[in-house]
Amino acid sequence: MQGLDFSIVPEYLPLIGKGLWWTVVISVVSALFSIVAGMGFALIVLYASPLVRYPVRLFMWLFMGTPLLLQLFLIYFGLVQIGIDIPALWSGIIGLSLHFAVYNADIFRAGIASLDKGQTEAARSLGFGAWQTRFYIVVPQALRNTVPAVGNMMIALLKESSIVSMIGIAELVHSAQLVISETYRPFEFYLTAAALYYVLNLILEAVLRGIERKVELSR
Amino acid sequence: MDIALIGRIIPVFVQAAWTTVQISLLSLVLGLAVAALIASLRLSHLAVLRFFGAAYVSVFRGTPALLQIFLLYFGGPQLGIQLEPFAAGAIALGLNIAAYMAESIRGGVLSVDRGQMEAARSLGFGEGQSMRWIVLPQAAKLMIRPLGVNAVALVKGTALVATISVVELTYTAQRFIGSTYKPFEIFAVTAVLYMIMVYGLTLVIDWLDRAYAEEA
């Protein structure tokens, strides 16, 4: 038994901090992509022609039923074998974004379906076209009503972004692994990384509460 | 599509899927047991017990499951806890899902009308008796869906133990993607097996939910 010694942690904090920064960057970028793509999927599933709709539904069904880690392996180790070489960082961001876009799409689809039909009818009778109505009337309201549910997804996304370390992206977990390979102190550094995720999580929850309050006020 | 390859690899992948099923079931049982304990702490009259319950939920839900697995498997030996990858994975996943399941259980208990407990108490049932015979049977029905969502997340979460080289479905898929250069065939087989598990579980949950609804 090796015992614990946290005194060596501060020395490596700059390196860990770099990983922390990349975790924030990857999470924010993937969160934005997952919301935009999620709304795109939701609109396709609801309104597009069957030729587009069914492939997208099949894709959503596949991505909902399989683990993120498997999807990352497919994108990073798989696509390169058929000549599509995506760098690790982008593979990670694409994987995270698509994985959560599928869940967001489900939330948005339900959000749009639960809107009062009168909203669409009123807009159409005022002369808005079908897609104009969707973009200016339906989408903004659906976005507003789904803030809490999408927020929960973003909390999950932040934590699951740790999985992209497995394809070699130098985020928080990966930088902890680098330090551990030098110091042979797994417990200390994985615990440090976990504590940092915990703090990030608290910050994200506070931000989401702020957004929810703003949205409530705008009603 | 290389159909011959798919035919060749299916037996290996079914074997790997069986490992995924085993680890899911083990973590599910452990998770439910721990969740029941944590939920009762959170519903306790004693502030200190409530605090420990809330702290457990907050810590396990506030940090990535991947790190919880790493802490137990790689960090455990520093504390004298030496586990095989399979055991470490099942225990870490069980402790992780317990935090989510505890909230599902607590939510179910809290959604039972307070009047039920009050009526039972006024009829002479003790506190524990009222919980056991009046509140929990009603709460159980309300817990099935949320616990089912947790269980489905758990099955997909078992992929994480591939990172500590448990030879389950995702680990096997990664190995075969690397050796066959046929990523889509491998993904198709793996995805179908995950779908069978995930959507099969969903059917079981639907059935439980309906069975309970009819009984009530």
Side-chain angles (χ1 to χ4, degrees):
Chain A
M1 202 165 111
Q2 197 184 358
L4 298 181
D5 175 17
F6 282 94
S7 66
I8 54 162
V9 172
E11 189 189 331
Y12 290 95
L13 278 183
L15 220 161
I16 301 273
K18 229 179 246 169
L20 179 71
W21 166 245
W22 278 105
T23 284
V24 172
V25 171
I26 291 165
S27 299
V28 169
V29 172
S30 307
L32 293 175
F33 281 166
S34 77
I35 290 171
V36 174
M39 186 53 94
F41 291 155
L43 291 173
I44 288 173
V45 164
L46 284 170
Y47 304 122
S49 77
L51 221 61
V52 188
R53 187 166 61 207
Y54 284 107
V56 167
R57 278 181 60 171
L58 175 70
F59 165 79
M60 285 178 61
W61 188 68
L62 272 172
F63 259 51
M64 268 204 173
T66 52
L68 173 61
L69 184 61
L70 179 70
Q71 294 158 8
L72 289 173
F73 285 159
L74 176 75
I75 293 170
Y76 185 59
F77 298 118
L79 290 184
V80 68
Q81 295 175 356
I82 54 160
I84 307 173
D85 190 359
I86 307 172
L89 178 65
W90 282 105
S91 299
I93 289 176
I94 292 171
L96 262 181
S97 305
L98 286 180
H99 184 80
F100 282 93
V102 165
Y103 288 96
N104 286 342
D106 224 35
I107 295 170
F108 289 140
R109 193 186 46 74
I112 291 173
S114 70
L115 280 184
D116 190 348
K117 266 183 66 125
Q119 294 285 334
T120 305
E121 288 163 1
R124 293 307 300 276
S125 73
L126 285 171
F128 280 80
W131 279 99
Q132 277 181 319
T133 307
R134 284 164 201 158
F135 276 116
Y136 294 108
I137 311 293
V138 173
V139 168
Q141 294 190 65
L143 275 175
R144 198 179 63 182
N145 294 343
T146 51
V147 164
V150 172
N152 281 339
M153 279 300 146
M154 298 305 100
I155 288 174
L157 186 149
L158 169 64
K159 285 179 287 176
E160 297 216 354
S161 74
S162 60
I163 297 175
V164 304
S165 61
M166 292 298 116
I167 55 170
I169 300 176
E171 44 67 83
L172 186 45
V173 172
H174 195 264
S175 59
Q177 283 171 327
L178 273 183
V179 174
I180 290 163
S181 67
E182 240 177 72
T183 58
Y184 304 105
R185 294 233 155 244
F187 197 90
E188 287 87 339
F189 286 101
Y190 284 137
L191 194 68
T192 305
L196 290 169
Y197 274 106
Y198 191 77
V199 173
L200 281 183
N201 202 32
L202 289 180
I203 296 171
L204 178 58
E205 277 176 10
V207 170
L208 287 171
R209 266 199 305 276
I211 295 175
E212 275 177 47
R213 211 168 312 127
K214 265 228 169 79
V215 167
E216 273 311 309
L217 286 178
S218 74
R219 264 179 220 269
Chain B
M1 270 290 179
D2 186 342
I3 303 291
L5 174 77
I6 291 180
R8 254 200 335 275
I9 63 171
I10 277 182
V12 183
F13 276 70
V14 168
Q15 186 68 41
W18 176 236
T19 305
T20 293
V21 169
Q22 285 175 314
I23 211 159
S24 302
L25 285 176
L26 273 175
S27 335
L28 182 67
V29 170
L30 174 68
L32 275 172
V34 176
L37 176 73
I38 299 298
S40 50
L41 288 183
R42 292 214 66 183
L43 293 164
S44 159
H45 290 299
L46 291 174
V48 61
L49 294 185
R50 279 204 305 276
F51 172 80
F52 278 116
Y56 183 95
V57 171
S58 170
V59 165
F60 276 89
R61 293 207 311 181
T63 56
L66 183 66
L67 276 177
Q68 293 162 17
I69 292 170
F70 284 178
L71 270 169
L72 183 60
Y73 181 65
F74 296 115
Q78 284 173 267
L79 309 173
I81 307 168
Q82 210 116 27
L83 293 169
E84 296 290 310
F86 184 90
I91 293 172
L93 285 173
L95 294 178
N96 175 265
I97 206 66
Y100 295 86
M101 289 186 151
E103 290 301 273
S104 303
I105 294 175
R106 191 175 76 108
V109 171
L110 289 179
S111 342
V112 174
D113 193 281
R114 275 178 55 103
Q116 296 288 328
M117 172 64 99
E118 287 163 7
R121 295 304 305 276
S122 72
L123 286 171
F125 282 83
E127 165 104 44
Q129 283 178 316
S130 312
M131 194 46 124
R132 169 71 187 79
W133 299 108
I134 310 296
V135 177
L136 276 182
Q138 301 181 59
K141 198 169 42 190
L142 302 169
M143 291 171 199
I144 291 175
R145 290 260 147 221
L147 285 177
V149 171
N150 299 147
V152 167
L154 173 64
V155 172
K156 281 184 273 177
T158 57
L160 293 181
V161 301
T163 62
I164 54 171
S165 42
V166 177
V167 186
E168 44 67 82
L169 201 42
T170 295
Y171 182 89
T172 307
Q174 186 203 4
R175 234 188 43 208
F176 274 77
I177 287 176
S179 63
T180 60
Y181 296 95
K182 297 277 164 105
F184 290 103
E185 284 84 346
I186 304 293
F187 181 77
V189 171
T190 313
V192 166
L193 288 167
Y194 270 115
M195 298 290 196
I196 291 172
M197 292 188 272
V198 165
Y199 292 107
L201 181 59
T202 312
L203 287 179
V204 172
I205 295 157
D206 283 343
W207 174 77
L208 275 176
D209 198 41
R210 241 174 302 124
Y212 249 96
E214 274 165 25
E215 203 179 286

